[in-house]
């Protein structure tokens, strides 16, 4: 479920509780993000909440005249605001909400108030008791403080809540959670003194903190302490691992354990995406004035680190007198070359970290292209070939042949006097990394132009990954860029020297050659255009 939550944050680039429930449902029904290919060891509270979510989806679809098949793809905030995502009964206080928590504070730690509130909400959608909500808020705050370089003494201090009260928006925590903050877990005897790793969230939180408090600065010892308490062993260890992993860092994990982890490259990839998209979210929030910059004394810019895709990515580093290791050292790995493979809904290694979202985004791009087929559109474009068997259905993508590239073909209609006499068919080829990699553009209709090679190759600075391309760009942006260069040649990146020379030195000859190509090769301009 932690992977479902992480994928939701990455795909939606924000906290969308509805989307989180959709992915939990996929896990429950199809084994989405499961290492075994099916759902296993699901708690009764989580199962009941997911089933309630499915019931509400069906009713919502009926009430709003939406097909049930479309419900998993809802993204309009106005529509989603009408859906009640709190699918749990109010007295449910199991530990399932706490064991999956980490992606939320990792994504939002730059804004502690948001990170802590979202931590609580992430648990509340399946576990409705205030104790579960507050346990998640407290544990989220511990992870945020860890990423800011807090020492273990500071994290486990009985004044932690008082010292960070602003983070909690001055909302008093449940007395059972406050009792833990005050040190109820600090028992040398552990199990003999009543520490229990049970399914009740208060017990689970206390047990995980006891394991962290008593681990002698060893992740391995702490994890074994958690497991050896018995009862709900895997959950207690998972809760411990979230805080201890953030505190000790990846490099301090036992190598023999890391080497045995299934799909470990994928897990590292997800970690990078959490860091990157979280940084982008904070950057956007800060620029819009939604959040105020936080003065992190222990957060340093990563602009000097090799292979960083964006200067906005930061690494968190503790003060030298506190800890010597980097909390999130894996951020140094190249984000440009990250493998986006993931586990699909059948439990197999798939081609995208989030196949459903990629398909929806591609379909949205195609839809925007089709909207350019109008007299009033700017630019004008006619879609001739789509990767979808039926252009009205985003679920019906033609994936035959297992091709690693997707081809989109259509016609552009330039505006300049000499080129507007014809239409030109272009092909956009998308790799599996689109929209993170730019498409390759090739002219299928021969054209005499400085920026188009004799083989049809087209070059524009937007399509250079190291220049202006970002994953926020769309195929409409690509069409605009192509038409811009056709109407206004850029001689800084010529692909055809003879055309570039004539354009500068012998403009009349250039126009003559262009007109010859238009008459011989150009497609007819649509009458409505």
């Amino acid at each position: 479920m932690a992977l479902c939550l992480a994928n939701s944050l990455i795909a939606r680039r924000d906290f969308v509780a509805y989307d989180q429930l959709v992915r939990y449902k996929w896990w429950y029904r199809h084994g989405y993000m499961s290492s075994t290919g099916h759902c296993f060891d699901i708690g009764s509270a989580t199962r009941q909440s997911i089933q309630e979510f499915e019931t509400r989806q069906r009713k919502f679809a009926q009430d709003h005249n939406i097909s049930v098949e479309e419900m998993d793809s809802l993204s309009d905030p106005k529509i989603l605001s009408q859906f009640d995502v709190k699918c749990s009964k109010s007295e449910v206080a199991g530990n399932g909400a706490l064991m999956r928590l980490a992606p939320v504070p990792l994504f939002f730690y730059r804004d502690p108030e948001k990170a802590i509130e979202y931590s609580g909400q992430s648990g509340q959608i399946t576990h409705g008791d205030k104790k579960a909500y507050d346990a998640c808020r407290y544990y989220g705050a511990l992870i945020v403080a860890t990423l800011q370089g807090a020492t273990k003494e500071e994290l486990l201090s009985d004044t932690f809540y008082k010292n960070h009260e602003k983070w909690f928006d001055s909302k008093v925590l449940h007395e059972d959670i406050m009792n833990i903050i005050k040190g109820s877990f600090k028992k040398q005897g552990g199990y003999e003194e009543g520490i229990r790793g049970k399914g009740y969230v208060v017990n689970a939180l206390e047990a995980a903190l006891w394991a962290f408090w008593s681990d002698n600065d060893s992740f391995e010892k702490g994890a074994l302490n958690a497991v050896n308490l018995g009862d709900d062993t895997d959950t207690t260890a998972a809760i411990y691992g979230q805080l201890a992993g953030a505190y000790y860092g990846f490099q301090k994990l036992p190598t023999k354990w890391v080497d045995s982890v299934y799909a470990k490259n994928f897990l590292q990839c997800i970690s990078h995406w959490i860091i990157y998209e979280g940084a982008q979210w904070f950057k956007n929030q800060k620029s819009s004035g939604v959040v105020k910059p936080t003065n992190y004394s222990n957060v340093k810019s990563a602009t000097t680190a090799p292979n960083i895709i964006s200067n906005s990515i930061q690494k968190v580093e503790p003060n030298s007198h506190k800890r010597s290791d980097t909390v999130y050292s894996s951020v140094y790995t190249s984000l440009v070359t990250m493998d986006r493979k993931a586990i699909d809904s059948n439990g197999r290694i798939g081609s995208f970290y989030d196949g459903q979202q990629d398909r929806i985004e591609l379909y949205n791009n195609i839809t925007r292209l089709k909207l350019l087929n109008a007299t009033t559109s700017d630019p004008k474009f006619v879609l001739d070939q789509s990767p979808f068997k039926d252009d009205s259905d985003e679920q019906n993508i033609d994936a035959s042949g297992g091709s690693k590239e997707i081809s989109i073909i259509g016609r552009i209609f330039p505006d300049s006097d000499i080129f507007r006499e014809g239409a030109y068919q272009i092909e956009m080829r998308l790799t599996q990394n689109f929209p993170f990699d730019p498409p390759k553009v090739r002219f299928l209709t021969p054209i005499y132009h400085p920026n188009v090679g004799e083989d049809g190759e087209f070059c524009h600075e937007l399509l250079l990954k190291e220049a202006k391309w970002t994953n926020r760009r769309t195929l409409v942006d690509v069409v605009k860029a192509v038409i811009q260069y056709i109407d206004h040649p850029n001689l800084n990146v010529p692909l055809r020297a003879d055309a570039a020379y004539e354009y500068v030195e012998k403009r009349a000859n250039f126009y003559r050659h262009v007109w010859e190509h238009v008459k011989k090769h150009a497609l007819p301009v649509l009458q409505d255009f």
Side-chain angles (χ1 to χ4, degrees):
M1 294 185 78
L3 289 177
C4 294
L5 175 55
N7 268 283
S8 177
L9 295 171
I10 294 167
R12 290 305 183 98
R13 303 185 178 109
D14 205 343
F15 186 93
V16 182
Y18 180 89
D19 186 73
Q20 293 164 28
L21 285 166
V22 167
R23 292 165 199 274
Y24 296 154
K25 184 184 75 171
W26 292 348
W27 167 64
Y28 175 48
R29 295 299 184 186
H30 308 294
Y32 174 73
M33 290 294 133
S34 170
S35 60
T36 66
H38 62 272
C39 172
F40 64 95
D41 197 23
I42 184 172
S44 59
T46 300
R47 180 190 294 108
Q48 291 169 7
S49 294
I50 293 174
Q51 291 172 347
E52 174 62 23
F53 173 65
E54 292 176 315
T55 299
R56 294 184 186 184
Q57 276 192 311
R58 290 190 290 270
K59 186 177 186 306
F60 193 89
Q62 183 178 6
D63 293 345
H64 293 79
N65 196 27
I66 302 172
S67 70
V68 175
E69 291 74 19
E70 292 178 310
M71 286 300 298
D72 285 0
S73 303
L74 291 184
S75 59
D76 188 329
K78 292 182 179 179
I79 295 178
L80 292 180
S81 66
Q82 302 175 50
F83 192 101
D84 182 7
V85 294
K86 296 179 181 179
C87 297
S88 169
K89 295 180 180 179
S90 59
E91 68 276 9
V92 175
N95 58 14
L98 198 56
M99 66 182 293
R100 65 181 189 240
L101 172 71
V104 176
L106 290 177
F107 190 99
F108 294 103
Y109 77 88
R110 298 166 183 84
D111 182 357
E113 290 87 350
K114 279 282 199 308
I116 290 164
E117 177 56 27
Y118 285 157
S119 292
Q121 291 181 22
S122 73
Q124 203 172 29
I125 60 178
T126 56
H127 295 73
D129 195 285
K130 178 173 170 54
K131 292 187 286 293
Y133 171 70
D134 284 345
C136 289
R137 292 171 67 219
Y138 169 48
Y139 213 62
L142 289 175
I143 295 175
V144 169
T146 297
L147 295 176
Q148 292 193 21
T151 64
K152 182 179 285 191
E153 181 182 4
E154 291 168 338
L155 293 172
L156 303 181
S157 168
D158 58 6
T159 62
F160 180 86
Y161 174 79
K162 181 179 180 181
N163 296 340
H164 301 86
E165 190 171 359
K166 182 181 177 182
W167 288 5
F168 294 88
D169 196 24
S170 300
K171 295 179 183 177
V172 178
L173 299 176
H174 190 279
E175 60 181 350
D176 289 353
I177 306 302
M178 288 300 298
N179 186 49
I180 293 175
I181 294 176
K182 293 175 182 178
S184 68
F185 58 88
K186 297 178 181 179
K187 297 177 179 178
Q188 291 289 350
Y191 186 88
E192 299 299 326
E193 293 188 46
I195 299 295
R196 295 289 187 273
K198 291 186 175 294
Y200 178 43
V201 70
V202 176
N203 290 145
L205 175 61
E206 187 177 55
L209 288 175
W210 170 80
F212 185 55
W213 173 72
S214 62
D215 66 9
N216 294 333
D217 294 329
S218 165
F219 183 94
E220 181 174 359
K221 177 176 172 54
L224 292 175
N225 283 349
V227 170
N228 289 331
L229 284 172
D231 295 311
D232 198 355
T233 57
D234 56 341
T235 301
T236 306
I239 298 170
Y240 163 82
Q242 294 175 93
L243 177 59
Y247 184 81
Y248 294 121
F250 178 77
Q251 300 300 329
K252 292 295 184 68
L253 300 180
T255 303
K256 58 186 177 183
W257 291 2
V258 173
D259 290 343
S260 300
V261 171
Y262 176 73
K264 61 183 177 182
N265 291 335
F266 167 60
L267 298 179
Q268 289 178 318
C269 175
I270 287 290
S271 300
H272 290 305
W273 279 115
I274 285 284
I275 291 293
Y276 174 69
E277 291 294 353
Q280 295 302 305
W281 175 88
F282 183 73
K283 180 180 178 181
N284 293 336
Q285 295 290 302
K286 188 169 64 173
S287 64
S288 64
V290 176
V291 297
K292 296 180 180 179
T294 303
N295 182 21
Y296 298 131
S297 60
N298 299 320
V299 178
K300 299 181 180 179
S301 172
T303 56
T304 59
N307 298 322
I308 292 296
I309 195 172
S310 168
N311 289 344
S312 64
I313 299 175
Q314 296 173 317
K315 82 180 181 76
V316 184
E317 189 172 80
N319 289 338
S320 58
H321 69 279
K322 293 182 178 180
R323 295 199 307 280
S324 60
D325 59 293
T326 301
V327 174
Y328 225 99
S329 60
S330 60
V331 76
Y332 277 88
T333 302
S334 170
L335 288 172
V336 176
T337 59
M338 282 192 303
D339 184 1
R340 299 179 69 213
K341 289 183 177 179
I343 305 171
D344 66 15
S345 62
N346 294 316
R348 300 180 299 240
I349 296 295
S351 59
F352 290 125
Y353 78 90
D354 184 15
Q356 172 75 359
Q357 189 67 21
D358 281 328
R359 184 166 58 248
I360 293 171
E361 288 192 11
L362 177 59
Y363 180 77
N364 289 339
N365 265 277
I366 298 296
T367 300
R368 295 188 191 102
L369 286 178
K370 289 194 289 186
L371 293 176
L372 299 180
N373 185 3
T375 305
T376 57
S377 65
D378 183 21
K380 296 179 176 63
F381 180 84
V382 173
L383 182 66
D384 293 325
Q385 178 180 307
S386 164
F388 296 89
K389 296 177 183 177
D390 177 359
D391 285 346
S392 66
D393 185 4
E394 73 269 30
Q395 303 298 325
N396 202 13
I397 187 169
D398 184 1
S400 60
S403 174
K404 293 184 177 181
E405 290 190 334
I406 291 175
S407 175
I408 299 169
I409 296 175
R411 283 164 282 165
I412 63 167
F413 299 83
D415 290 323
S416 59
D417 289 341
I418 192 166
F419 288 105
R420 69 185 304 170
E421 298 300 322
Y424 303 85
Q425 195 173 60
I426 64 171
E427 178 187 43
M428 293 178 279
R429 296 196 69 84
L430 281 56
T431 70
Q432 289 184 337
N433 277 339
F434 178 83
F436 298 90
D437 287 347
K440 297 177 181 178
V441 176
R442 181 170 65 96
F443 272 72
L444 302 181
T445 303
I447 183 173
Y448 188 78
H449 194 280
N451 298 121
V452 182
E454 293 187 60
D455 60 353
E457 180 185 2
F458 174 79
C459 180
H460 189 289
E461 59 181 351
L462 175 68
L463 304 180
L464 301 177
K465 187 173 181 178
E466 64 273 20
K468 293 188 176 181
W469 183 264
T470 74
N471 64 335
R472 310 292 193 210
R473 297 288 188 177
T474 68
L475 294 180
V476 172
D477 293 327
V478 174
V479 171
K480 288 180 178 179
V482 173
I483 294 177
Q484 176 198 29
Y485 267 20
I486 296 303
D487 288 339
H488 307 284
N490 185 342
L491 301 181
N492 292 322
V493 286
L495 290 179
R496 188 161 181 171
D498 55 346
Y501 172 78
E502 287 188 349
Y503 183 81
V504 175
E505 301 293 341
K506 299 181 179 181
R507 189 67 61 89
N509 287 352
F510 174 77
Y511 287 150
R512 179 170 56 82
H513 282 125
V514 169
W515 182 239
E516 289 174 356
H517 273 71
V518 169
K519 290 190 295 182
K520 184 176 181 180
H521 302 292
L523 302 174
V525 178
L526 298 181
Q527 187 174 2
D528 292 341
F529 280 17

